[in-house]
Amino acid sequence: MGQNGILKIKTILLFTVIATLGACGDESSKSTKTPKPKAKTAQKPALQRPNFNADSAFYFIQKQVDFGPRVPNTEAHQKAANYLSGKLASYGFEIIEQKTQVKAFNGKNLNLTNIIGEYKPELNNRILLFAHWDTRPFADQDTENKTKPIDGANDGGSGVGVLLEIARQIEKAQPNIGIDIIFFDGEDYGQPSDDMRQRQSGSWCLGSQYWSRNPHRENYSANFGILLDMVGAKDAYFTKEAISMYYAPHIVDKVWSIASTLGHSKHFVFQETTHVGEDDHLYVNRIAKIPSIDIIQYDPKTRAFAPHWHTHDDNMSVIDKNTLRAVGETVLATVLQEAN
Ligand code: AHN
Ligand code: ZN
């Protein structure tokens, strides 16, 4: 607020005091003629539990898995892209499909599509929500069928499923704030740790790297960003992850405190963890300069992702509606609280 704004409020308060004193000496009596200044300085209303339907989020994950693994350059990937764009459009979002070709660590050219949905594109006050929609082309953490692609119900499906349900609720609530939902492609095509080739930096997060260098609108900006990655498994915990704490500690605090108010501290634990690996928010922070956090399942005790991570066990059987609800309510409440 500028100097003028402060002066204005001071002046209004002064008048209020005089008006109240003038009315009578009774402290409990409140002037009915001066409700406006009160509204100006009023606190935010108490946080409400938003409508978020976990059955619906679950269904959106099932639909993605039903296409088959969403591996770039496959038919399932193309069909899933059409489904995701169509769904976001059906909730009133304006769609931009950002297409590019990138080289993977193994020399393959990958055709990627970042799917971007804009709600109220005309507003400058914006929030960015994102998740990756592609799935890992191999099961390098499995002991069997290591070269076959995975279902990626949790890793790929869950973040997108929760965000589609949030999009559906945003259309109903019509908040007065700009919201961008981006489904990034090519996150999970990173070099396996046992790969014999020379170590390559930046082999993960190919779609978000491209977008961060080439945002869908010139001078694109958002107040902050929230990434959802592996947010659907039973009993998942989300720790305060190191890259988020480095670039956007105030957003971590905001989201974790909303989770706590809504009774979701079992999932959003007040524990910081060190680097859990590269993720899309790294590039959104570092290159696009949007302070962004990652809600990502990580077990501080085993210092690892869930046991199903990058294995064939990452299928619908690991998805749990209580976790989807905890994440969905928390992220949606965060967005709605920013609206005015
Ligand atoms: C790495 O393991 C390098 N990054 C973890 C990010 C990730 C992979 N999220 C899902 N799959
Ligand atoms: Zn992955």
Side-chain angles (χ1 to χ4, degrees), residues 132 136 155-156 187-188 190-191 204-205 229-230 275-280 294 296 305 309-310:
H132 76 90
R136 190 138 178 85
D155 189 356
E187 188 272 348
D188 234 341
Q191 185 177 25
W204 301 82
C205 309
D229 192 7
M230 304 191 277
H275 191 60
V276 305
E278 233 165 72
D279 213 344
D280 291 319
D294 193 4
I296 183 167
F305 296 127
W309 181 64
H310 293 179

Side-chain angles (χ1 to χ4, degrees), residues 197-238:
R197 277 164 280 246
Q198 202 188 349
R199 280 287 86 214
Q200 291 177 37
S201 68
S203 71
W204 301 82
C205 309
L206 300 173
S208 59
Q209 291 192 55
Y210 180 80
W211 177 86
S212 297
R213 295 189 174 95
N214 309 278
H216 59 286
R217 280 180 188 268
E218 236 178 284
N219 303 316
Y220 173 79
S221 191
N223 305 345
F224 61 86
I226 304 177
L227 165 60
L228 283 65
D229 192 7
M230 304 191 277
V231 293
K234 188 171 187 321
D235 299 329
Y237 328 107
F238 311 110

Side-chain angles (χ1 to χ4, degrees), residues 112-162:
L112 302 186
T113 305
N114 291 326
I115 299 165
I116 301 155
E118 301 177 308
Y119 169 79
K120 294 198 189 283
E122 69 282 6
L123 297 184
N124 286 326
N125 188 27
R126 311 196 69 72
I127 296 181
L128 172 62
L129 305 176
F130 53 113
H132 76 90
W133 72 274
D134 63 305
T135 52
R136 190 138 178 85
F138 22 71
D140 48 318
Q141 299 292 322
D142 211 321
T143 50
E144 282 167 47
N145 293 315
K146 284 164 90 78
T147 60
K148 296 223 170 86
I150 64 170
D151 279 359
N154 195 31
D155 189 356
S158 65
V160 170
V162 169

Side-chain angles (χ1 to χ4, degrees), residues 93-338:
F93 285 63
E94 297 197 11
I95 306 302
I96 297 157
E97 287 191 353
Q98 182 182 56
K99 291 184 186 287
T100 186
Q101 197 177 68
V102 297
K103 214 174 250 322
F105 74 92
N106 58 6
K108 276 197 183 148
N109 285 319
L110 307 180
N111 297 304
L112 302 186
T113 305
N114 291 326
I115 299 165
I116 301 155
E118 301 177 308
Y119 169 79
K120 294 198 189 283
E122 69 282 6
L123 297 184
N124 286 326
N125 188 27
R126 311 196 69 72
I127 296 181
L128 172 62
L129 305 176
F130 53 113
H132 76 90
W133 72 274
D134 63 305
T135 52
R136 190 138 178 85
F138 22 71
D140 48 318
Q141 299 292 322
D142 211 321
T143 50
E144 282 167 47
N145 293 315
K146 284 164 90 78
T147 60
K148 296 223 170 86
I150 64 170
D151 279 359
N154 195 31
D155 189 356
S158 65
V160 170
V162 169
L163 290 182
L164 278 179
E165 171 59 8
I166 285 178
R168 193 174 79 89
Q169 296 295 346
I170 284 169
E171 188 190 31
K172 291 177 198 273
Q174 288 291 308
N176 186 30
I177 187 164
I179 299 158
D180 301 293
I181 292 183
I182 306 187
F183 299 145
F184 285 122
D185 203 355
E187 188 272 348
D188 234 341
Y189 219 108
Q191 185 177 25
S193 47
D194 60 0
D195 185 60
M196 290 310 181
R197 277 164 280 246
Q198 202 188 349
R199 280 287 86 214
Q200 291 177 37
S201 68
S203 71
W204 301 82
C205 309
L206 300 173
S208 59
Q209 291 192 55
Y210 180 80
W211 177 86
S212 297
R213 295 189 174 95
N214 309 278
H216 59 286
R217 280 180 188 268
E218 236 178 284
N219 303 316
Y220 173 79
S221 191
N223 305 345
F224 61 86
I226 304 177
L227 165 60
L228 283 65
D229 192 7
M230 304 191 277
V231 293
K234 188 171 187 321
D235 299 329
Y237 328 107
F238 311 110
T239 54
K240 299 180 166 192
E241 174 274 337
I243 297 172
S244 312
M245 287 303 284
Y246 177 78
Y247 286 102
H250 57 300
I251 307 304
V252 175
D253 285 347
K254 190 197 288 272
V255 171
W256 260 246
S257 115
I258 288 174
S260 156
T261 305
L262 294 173
H264 297 316
S265 289
K266 195 182 94 186
H267 297 281
F268 288 78
V269 298
F270 281 77
Q271 183 174 353
E272 284 186 36
T273 46
T274 51
H275 191 60
V276 305
E278 233 165 72
D279 213 344
D280 291 319
H281 69 317
L282 173 64
Y283 298 100
V284 174
N285 276 303
R286 194 193 271 167
I287 302 173
K289 310 273 188 220
I290 297 165
S292 297
I293 69 160
D294 193 4
I295 301 175
I296 183 167
Q297 180 182 4
Y298 187 77
D299 185 346
K301 289 198 202 84
T302 58
R303 295 165 154 241
F305 296 127
H308 59 256
W309 181 64
H310 293 179
T311 76
H312 294 291
D313 292 337
D314 183 354
N315 55 44
M316 285 310 287
S317 71
V318 304
I319 302 298
D320 183 82
K321 291 177 186 172
N322 294 308
T323 306
L324 297 174
R325 184 177 306 110
V327 175
E329 285 184 357
T330 300
V331 173
L332 185 52
T334 304
V335 170
L336 297 179
Q337 193 193 238
E338 298 292 314

